[in-house]
Amino acid sequence: MATRIPDEVPDGGWGWVIVLSAFLMSALVFGVIRSFGVFFVAFVEYFSEASSTVSWITSTAIAIQQFSSFGWALVFTPSVAAVSRYFNKRRTLAMGMAFTGVGIGSFVFSPLFQYLIDEYMWRGALLVIAGMMLNLMVCGALIRPLTLKEDLVRATAPGEGSLCCQGARNVIFDLLDLSLLRHWPFLTLVLSVTLINAGYFVPYVHFVAHAQSIGFDEYQAAFLMSVAGVMDLIGRLLSGWFSDLRKMRLVHILILWTMLTGLSLLAIPLGHTYPVLMLIGMAYGFCAGALTPVVFSLLPEIVGIGRIYGALGLLQMLESVGGLLGAPISGWLRDATGNYTASFVVAGTFLLLSSLVLIGIPGALSCSCLPPARHPQTKNAKEEEEEEEEEECKSMADSNGSGLEVQCVPIEPSSIACRNTVVA
């Protein structure tokens, strides 16, 4: 039986199951990454190595998995792309809901990992975490592919032959969508996200160690990341809800959250008391959580929903450079200066530079707000409009008082959209 091609993006249905899958994925993957700073102190003490050396453990794992698309990238990329394809009008909110798992995972895993280290040492704790990560297979099993009409248009575009008629080079070029390397707005977003990655993951590696270095115990330090995780959850939901209101362009929202995240990183060294450090950590968690769903909602606006899989994979591969270098640079600065002040200042600077790069995306310098997203009208809506047109014509005939019949010509949907656009 032939697969039915939906007339428009479902904006729900099985998409909510995809959101659940992405939620579980983000809790397991990014919850572990964000809480891995608890292991940092244990690694430094056990291996008797410098902070810059130990920092390569996390950063190398992140970079290799992003660049090669192995490991958690095999679950992350399809989950995020599937959410993008199942939602249009509520895409940013759906992204925010999917990524709330990051905040919940951070809140739960930081003290849990500290407990596991105390009970089973770091080796036993890693074995328990490995068993937890096997649940990612369940997340992958929930993803159901969705074919849209845009995919059929691209597949039958003139001048494109079948894969069997192409050379190996053209096949790789098409599968990876390397034509995006000539797409200037996409490359601008890639550069911006790379700079974000260079500073974004630094607190997850060094925030707990920084808190311990200024006199707080292990569980107090781990609790800071837990609270930041809760604020991350709130930030993702509120950011997704606000973005879908279309009061601001997505690129403007992303610039705002990126700038605020950078400023919160710059403020971390100013937290000398526990309440102040807690407030700064909460501000960082909220802003860092708020920017993530906006990034993945802006991507399909730039490249089109039909190219989301190739664009997301290419973005993950190229941005891995930032994730690879960020934490080691931070660790090296800590070894050179004796504290983490310079580390967080440089991390914040990376995000501030990223907000400046985003100005190069088309529409970033426009002060106008986008109107609400318009979607293809359903059959019922079209019938209602035709009935309204007929009633209008009848009233015109009655007002003319003549026996002549006024001929009603249905208005094309395209002309209606144009008229609405002018009014908006």
Side-chain angles (χ1 to χ4, degrees):
M1 181 181 295
T3 303
R4 178 180 175 272
I5 307 299
D7 295 330
E8 57 184 1
V9 177
D11 252 329
W14 190 261
W16 294 117
V17 179
I18 303 295
V19 170
L20 174 62
S21 171
F23 169 84
L24 296 174
M25 175 277 302
S26 62
L28 290 170
V29 172
F30 290 101
V32 170
I33 291 176
R34 289 190 170 201
S35 305
F36 213 71
V38 175
F39 286 89
F40 180 80
V41 178
F43 288 159
V44 171
E45 293 178 354
Y46 182 84
F47 294 106
S48 300
E49 293 288 346
S51 298
S52 57
T53 304
V54 176
S55 298
W56 283 100
I57 297 175
T58 303
S59 61
T60 302
I62 294 173
I64 289 177
Q65 292 178 56
Q66 284 183 330
F67 184 83
S68 63
S69 296
F70 287 123
W72 61 262
L74 291 174
V75 178
F76 173 80
T77 302
S79 298
V80 174
V83 172
S84 296
R85 293 174 66 84
Y86 271 88
F87 291 88
N88 186 5
K89 182 180 179 181
R90 294 177 287 185
R91 179 180 293 152
T92 312
L93 177 60
M95 285 288 184
M97 295 176 65
F99 283 114
T100 53
V102 179
I104 294 177
S106 300
F107 178 78
V108 174
F109 289 160
S110 290
L112 174 62
F113 289 176
Q114 186 63 57
Y115 170 78
L116 292 175
I117 292 174
D118 292 341
E119 291 293 322
Y120 306 110
M121 304 300 289
W122 64 267
R123 286 190 175 89
L126 288 178
L127 288 175
V128 175
I129 295 172
M132 292 167 50
M133 299 298 283
L134 290 175
N135 289 285
L136 288 174
M137 292 188 294
V138 179
C139 301
L142 293 175
I143 298 176
R144 180 185 295 175
L146 176 66
T147 303
L148 301 174
K149 286 189 174 181
E150 186 175 343
D151 303 322
L152 301 181
V153 172
R154 293 190 67 229
T156 59
E160 291 186 6
S162 60
L163 292 180
C164 60
C165 299
Q166 296 175 339
R169 179 180 177 182
N170 291 337
V171 172
I172 296 175
F173 190 89
D174 290 339
L175 291 177
L176 297 179
D177 209 349
L178 297 181
S179 60
L180 288 170
L181 295 177
R182 300 192 298 268
H183 193 288
W184 173 249
F186 172 75
L187 292 178
T188 304
L189 181 64
V190 167
L191 176 59
S192 175
V193 176
T194 301
L195 290 172
I196 289 176
N197 269 11
Y200 189 90
F201 292 103
V202 169
Y204 307 135
V205 180
H206 294 146
F207 194 29
V208 172
H210 168 68
Q212 293 185 29
S213 68
I214 60 178
F216 303 114
D217 62 43
E218 292 86 351
Y219 285 93
Q220 284 181 312
F223 187 68
L224 288 173
M225 289 304 303
S226 295
V227 174
V230 173
M231 295 306 297
D232 177 284
L233 184 154
I234 298 174
R236 290 170 192 268
L237 289 177
L238 291 182
S239 175
W241 168 77
F242 178 75
S243 299
D244 284 339
L245 294 178
R246 300 280 175 158
K247 300 296 184 182
M248 295 175 61
R249 293 178 181 270
L250 283 181
V251 65
H252 293 162
I253 298 174
L254 182 56
I255 291 173
L256 174 64
W257 290 129
T258 303
M259 186 178 300
L260 291 177
T261 304
L263 292 176
S264 64
L265 283 172
L266 293 176
I268 288 179
L270 303 178
H272 299 294
T273 63
Y274 196 74
V276 174
L277 194 60
M278 175 73 73
L279 289 175
I280 296 174
M282 291 171 65
Y284 168 76
F286 183 88
C287 297
L291 73 85
T292 305
V294 183
V295 170
F296 295 108
S297 295
L298 181 60
L299 182 61
E301 281 196 2
I302 291 176
V303 303
I305 193 63
R307 308 174 75 181
I308 185 62
Y309 283 106
L312 188 56
L314 204 56
L315 172 64
Q316 291 287 302
M317 183 177 69
L318 296 177
E319 71 171 337
S320 63
V321 177
L324 175 66
L325 299 179
I329 291 176
S330 176
W332 177 80
L333 289 172
R334 191 273 174 197
D335 294 335
T337 61
N339 56 57
Y340 289 96
T341 299
S343 301
F344 289 112
V345 169
V346 171
T349 302
F350 277 130
L351 273 92
L352 293 179
L353 289 175
S354 174
S355 64
L356 295 178
V357 172
L358 287 170
I359 296 176
I361 293 180
L365 296 178
S366 173
C367 297
S368 62
C369 296
L370 286 176
R374 304 191 185 276
H375 310 286
Q377 297 173 323
T378 62
K379 183 178 180 181
N380 293 334
K382 291 181 180 179
E383 290 175 354
E384 290 175 2
E385 286 184 358
E386 290 176 1
E387 290 175 1
E388 291 175 1
E389 293 293 335
E390 291 175 2
E391 289 176 2
E392 250 182 58
C393 292
K394 290 178 181 178
S395 62
M396 288 171 61
D398 294 339
S399 62
N400 288 336
S402 62
L404 297 177
E405 182 179 357
V406 180
Q407 185 178 3
C408 297
V409 180
I411 299 177
E412 293 294 329
S414 59
S415 63
I416 295 174
C418 294
R419 187 169 57 189
N420 290 341
T421 304
V422 173
V423 173

